[in-house]
Amino acid sequence: MRETDVDFSTLIESEKEIEVFPGRFERRYFLRGSVAAAATLVAARTLSRSVFAQTASTATGLSGSDKLAWEDFLKQSVPIAQQLIADPAFSVDEYLYRIGSLATRLKEIPDSALGSYKTVEPRVWFGPSFRGSPFFIIQWRMEPGAVLPPHNHPNASVCTLGFEGEVRLRNFEIIGEAPDYVSKKAFRVRETRNEMMTHGRINTLSPSRDNIHFFQPGKEGARGIDITTLHGKSAPFSFLDIGEKPVDSEQRIFEAAWKSPTS
């Protein structure tokens, strides 16, 4: 609807010339229904401008639905990430979801060289797709039937993007204090998320929430990326053994123990 499509003449009851200053006259219009008619006129004008703005936005490709090439994603996401990290009121969740919202628009990921994780069969493949600041991006590919065991990310946040296939992604948080990696003492974790990741979906973890995650792809395997940011010194991570059945099914609490430490 254009502004010229609104017939305002039907609202005009009469017109008069009014002397606004000595010797100066202006033509004034009087509307039917007084306040109600005036409100209708304002609403009609506002609606027409809103529709016009939306139409112009779509015509110029600013609708937000455009897909991003890899280089365009980096050109947009890196400056945003740097600005957010530098903000004294930095919020890790805002950071993750701002970057993640751009990642969901990726139409491609690079054909990066990947190496297999030899202690896992069927194989899981990893390789860097971007090394920068403040984040780096690891691409992963999982063969059908593969499992990437639960592991933590100390002092780091991660935004995982599913790109091909589907993978079940579970997140856990440690309850209380966990022992050192070398200890075989059991501790407890709570499952906080359990979701099927497909193309364009994201999962996030921070140093303080959902920091342990576990991957299990569907029958066709899966491929995606992890956008990882350090929020302190780099620290060793470790795999975990987590019991198959919860010790508290209502609260989704499981017993766990560290596997051999990995640096």
Side-chain angles (χ1 to χ4, degrees):
M1 179 189 296
R2 298 188 305 275
E3 192 164 314
T4 53
D5 292 331
V6 181
D7 186 6
F8 298 113
S9 64
T10 59
L11 300 176
I12 299 174
E13 181 177 88
S14 61
E15 58 181 273
K16 296 180 181 179
E17 283 198 341
I18 304 286
E19 186 176 20
V20 293
F21 294 107
R24 180 177 176 181
F25 295 83
E26 288 186 0
R27 191 175 300 277
R28 294 290 174 87
Y29 298 90
F30 294 85
L31 302 177
R32 301 179 192 276
S34 185
V35 175
T40 301
L41 177 61
V42 171
R45 287 183 178 270
T46 302
L47 175 62
S48 66
R49 290 193 185 104
S50 174
V51 172
F52 177 79
Q54 292 176 18
T55 303
S57 174
T58 302
T60 55
L62 299 177
S63 65
S65 62
D66 293 341
K67 295 295 185 180
L68 290 175
W70 182 255
E71 291 302 322
D72 293 329
F73 165 70
L74 294 177
K75 287 177 183 177
Q76 292 190 38
S77 61
V78 170
I80 290 174
Q82 291 172 339
Q83 181 180 10
L84 290 171
I85 286 282
D87 190 337
F90 172 72
S91 164
V92 68
D93 284 332
E94 179 187 7
Y95 172 87
L96 285 166
Y97 286 108
R98 286 282 297 276
I99 303 308
S101 67
L102 289 171
T104 62
R105 295 171 56 197
L106 277 167
K107 65 180 180 182
E108 61 185 23
I109 58 177
D111 187 19
S112 304
L114 307 180
S116 65
Y117 203 84
K118 295 180 175 55
T119 61
V120 176
E121 287 287 352
R123 291 296 175 87
V124 179
W125 303 75
F126 294 98
S129 289
F130 174 74
R131 299 180 187 270
S133 177
F135 60 74
F136 59 92
I137 300 176
I138 299 297
Q139 186 173 156
W140 48 266
R141 180 172 62 81
M142 302 184 69
E143 296 179 357
V147 171
L148 182 59
H151 58 282
N152 63 343
H153 287 266
N155 300 330
S157 66
V158 180
C159 177
T160 297
L161 172 77
F163 194 77
E164 291 178 359
E166 61 181 28
V167 59
R168 180 165 298 282
L169 189 51
R170 300 169 66 190
N171 292 82
F172 299 85
E173 292 177 6
I174 295 171
I175 298 175
E177 296 292 330
D180 293 334
Y181 290 158
V182 294
S183 173
K184 297 300 181 183
K185 183 180 178 181
F187 56 97
R188 293 190 170 187
V189 296
R190 176 181 288 113
E191 183 180 43
T192 52
R193 300 181 74 173
N194 186 331
E195 57 191 340
M196 188 64 73
M197 298 281 292
T198 54
H199 175 80
R201 293 193 176 188
I202 61 171
N203 172 284
T204 67
L205 63 81
S206 78
S208 60
R209 65 155 179 84
D210 308 325
N211 192 263
I212 297 165
H213 60 183
F214 162 72
F215 293 70
Q216 185 172 16
K219 61 182 180 180
E220 297 179 357
R223 181 175 173 231
I225 58 173
D226 279 4
I227 305 169
T228 301
T229 307
L230 289 176
H231 302 282
K233 293 183 178 180
S234 178
F237 77 95
S238 180
F239 289 118
L240 299 84
D241 281 319
I242 296 179
E244 290 187 10
K245 294 183 178 180
V247 296
D248 184 334
S249 57
E250 184 176 348
Q251 296 295 320
R252 301 300 296 165
I253 296 174
F254 295 78
E255 277 207 343
W258 299 117
K259 287 188 175 183
S260 300
T262 306
S263 56

